[in-house]
């Protein structure tokens, strides 16, 4: 048997490799009597060869649930997760599940990764809503789903995400449609930001325009948006619009515009991404791309529930279509 690259082995793989049934593998894992020495040895050899780690989904099937789903977020300061959690809650609460949330700083003095902390709580599944690391996903031995586009693939985990390339194109198309030709983009690290930048670049080049892109310190926080927007405005005084990789960066870009004496939208149009609570605040009234994160959360919960029911379900990716939300921060160039 050849194990598919990047796929975490499951109980069916062990059964196939050992030439026995899934039920017999379960008996061996439980240490149940009545299994012949030869078959027990074949199963144990397959487990070792495949480096199989029994999933806690088995305990779920045995009725030994904690009824808790763990969620790993990238940063509590980034408000994109508000709707994501709402979508998860909408789907999971009626089924009696609790949601436990952690970020990379969660019990960092005790656990190597936030996943370790959640697993110590005996969660039934994990939603990874941050850029995963090899160390992080190596610890995952429960059903998992990745929420959002990420740079690294988590073996065996489904992906439910906003279509970030389409969203980047939508934002740029809106600015071009208003008449802007000198448009900048502030971005940061991570799969979602990378794909949004791809959408921006493709729409600009497809319209015969020159993409102008800047990063802050590599993250997508307010300070990164401020630093990147300052650089864009200093290097390109003729800039009339900025597309920010998220609403938090847009807030920083608004601060940079203010410090350079540029009014929004009279002197500079500004568009964000995520339609977070920041975007609808009266201070910004930010035009933004709604990634429909509530639907992403709902879809992530659905995918996780399906994988808890059947760990052998083929891994799949679901993309949610984004929408443009018009507010007061964009206008035709003066």
């Amino acid at each position: 048997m050849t194990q598919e690259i990047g796929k975490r082995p499951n109980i069916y793989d062990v059964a196939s490799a050992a030439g026995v049934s899934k039920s017999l593998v379960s008996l061996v894992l439980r240490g149940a009597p009545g299994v012949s020495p030869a078959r027990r040895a074949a199963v144990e050899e397959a487990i070792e060869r495949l480096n199989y780690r029994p999933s806690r989904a088995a305990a779920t099937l045995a009725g030994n649930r904690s009824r808790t789903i763990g969620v790993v977020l990238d940063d509590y300061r980034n408000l994109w997760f508000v709707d994501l959690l709402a979508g998860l809650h909408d789907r999971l609460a009626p089924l009696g599940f609790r949601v436990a949330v952690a970020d990379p700083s969660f019990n960092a003095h005790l656990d190597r990764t936030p996943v370790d902390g959640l697993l110590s709580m005996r969660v039934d599944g994990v939603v990874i809503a941050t850029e995963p690391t090899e160390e992080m996903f190596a610890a995952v031995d429960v059903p998992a789903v990745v929420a959002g586009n990420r740079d690294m693939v988590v073996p065996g985990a489904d992906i439910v995400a906003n279509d970030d390339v389409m969203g980047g194109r939508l934002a740029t198309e809106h600015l071009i449609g208003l008449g802007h030709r000198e448009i900048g983009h502030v971005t940061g690290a991570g799969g979602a930001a990378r794909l949004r930048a791809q959408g921006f670049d493709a729409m600009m080049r497809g319209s015969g325009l020159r993409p102008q892109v800047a990063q802050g310190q590599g993250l997508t926080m307010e300070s990164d948006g401020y630093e990147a927007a300052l650089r864009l405005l200093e290097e390109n005084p003729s800039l009339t619009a900025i597309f920010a990789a998220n609403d938090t960066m847009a807030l920083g870009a608004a601060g940079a515009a203010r410090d350079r004496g540029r009014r929004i939208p009279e002197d500079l149009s500004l568009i964000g991404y995520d339609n977070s609570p920041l975007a609808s605040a009266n201070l910004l009234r930010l035009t933004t791309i709604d990634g429909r994160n509530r639907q992403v959360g709902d879809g992530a919960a659905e995918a996780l529930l399906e994988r808890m029911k059947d760990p052998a379900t083929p891994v799949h990716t679901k993309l949610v279509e984004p929408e443009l939300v018009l507010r007061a921060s964009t206008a035709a160039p003066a």
Side-chain angles (χ1 to χ4, degrees), residues 18 20 24 28 35-48:
V20 301
L24 194 138
V28 173
V35 180
S36 71
R39 287 190 164 187
R40 187 181 298 276
V43 171
E44 290 173 346
E45 188 276 333
I47 289 172
E48 183 175 355

Side-chain angles (χ1 to χ4, degrees), residues 74 80 128-132 146-153 159-167 189-196 273 293 296 317-320:
D74 51 7
W80 76 272
I128 300 174
T130 185
E131 289 295 334
V146 175
N149 289 301
R150 309 297 170 189
D151 282 328
M152 187 170 286
V153 174
I159 299 170
V160 181
N162 158 244
D163 189 337
D164 290 298
V165 173
M166 178 186 287
R194 175 175 51 80
L195 293 175
R196 292 169 191 181
Y273 205 115
N293 287 322
V296 172
T317 297
K318 176 183 178 181
L319 293 182
V320 175

Side-chain angles (χ1 to χ4, degrees), residues 153-179:
V153 174
V154 177
D158 301 300
I159 299 170
V160 181
N162 158 244
D163 189 337
D164 290 298
V165 173
M166 178 186 287
R169 293 180 68 95
L170 273 178
T172 314
E173 182 181 42
H174 169 62
L175 294 173
I176 293 172
L178 289 172

